[in-house]
Amino acid sequence: PLIRRETNIIEYPSPRKRSKKHRQILVEHGDKGQLIELQGNLYFARTDQLYRRVMEQVHAKKIIILHFRRVFSIDMSGMVILMQLVETAQKSGTEIVFAHMHKQLGFGKKMKSAFSLIESSKKRITKIFHSTARALEYAEDLILKQEYKDKEYRVSSPVEFEENDLCKEIGQNEIALLKKIAQKYEYKSKETILAEGDESSSLYLVTSGFVERRLYNGQTSYKILTKYSPGTYFGKLAFFNGGSVTTRFIAMGNTTVYKIERSDIKLESNKMDNKLYANLLFAIGRELSKESTVQIAEIRRLEAL
């Protein structure tokens, strides 16, 4: 079959870590974002079949991602139908974007140029993502913007230290102590915060910008494992165990991070009969438990492929 699999972004969320409020919105409205994985060759008849299938869904969707990683080739008639699909869906209020339009599809590295030649307007009307993670993140942002309605939704709104997810699990006195011992760092876009092999036993609280956790395969090829938004934090496992970091953490955009070292927390906690340290361990443990549930769901999804 041409369509290998269909899923929504509730079942297949992006790796981006979001605030509790945003996560709840996406749980309630994530079915408005659809991912359709394609396979085989896209010639006229098969692309027309895809056109009819997608048009059945457009009225219930805000965004549809067409995924081309397992597509072998597209001919020119197939590309024309794809662009007609994008334009028709757009009139119904549904955005269609493409992911993994690789150079082996028949037009080499000039895939975007080929699409621009057959579009009815000079302005490119669809987005092309090279990463599934980035396409899913874009879809989530689009749904969040819609659900905020008259209120402004900003993708990267900075948050106060006290608004971090970690602080929501502890008391005001404990937050004040954490802020007192935290070290503030500013990073420029694409600057490395932690690299493979670095020693760490610290927590990192993100208050502005983003941090991507990447697993590299060679010098330039990598997979995005997690993307941390303002209000989230990372370094949980390192905080528990300490030792060498196995992945790389990269700032995306101008980013502010507060680093809290475990040794400093222990020192302050001793003054409170270890209350601070114990409460943090419980808070981090609860967060790790939630993350393990998500990872199990991802493993099940991969087994179904």
Side-chain angles (χ1 to χ4, degrees), residues 133-144:
R134 299 199 196 284
L136 289 168
E137 182 184 348
Y138 176 80
E140 289 174 348
D141 282 334
L142 205 67
I143 291 169
L144 285 169

Side-chain angles (χ1 to χ4, degrees), residues 2-56:
L2 173 62
I3 296 176
R4 185 170 185 268
R5 189 173 59 128
E6 294 185 63
T7 184
N8 60 47
I9 61 175
I10 299 174
E11 300 164 342
Y12 190 3
S14 80
R16 178 171 162 185
K17 295 281 288 180
R18 297 183 183 271
S19 67
K20 186 176 180 180
K21 178 181 178 181
H22 290 172
R23 289 198 303 268
Q24 185 59 40
I25 291 173
L26 291 172
V27 166
E28 294 173 4
H29 301 279
D31 58 349
K32 295 176 182 175
Q34 189 84 344
L35 174 70
I36 301 177
E37 296 182 41
L38 307 173
Q39 62 184 3
N41 299 302
L42 282 179
Y43 50 84
F44 179 83
R46 286 172 65 99
T47 313
D48 188 58
Q49 172 193 341
L50 173 65
Y51 182 99
R52 293 194 302 272
R53 174 68 186 124
V54 172
M55 289 309 298
E56 291 172 1

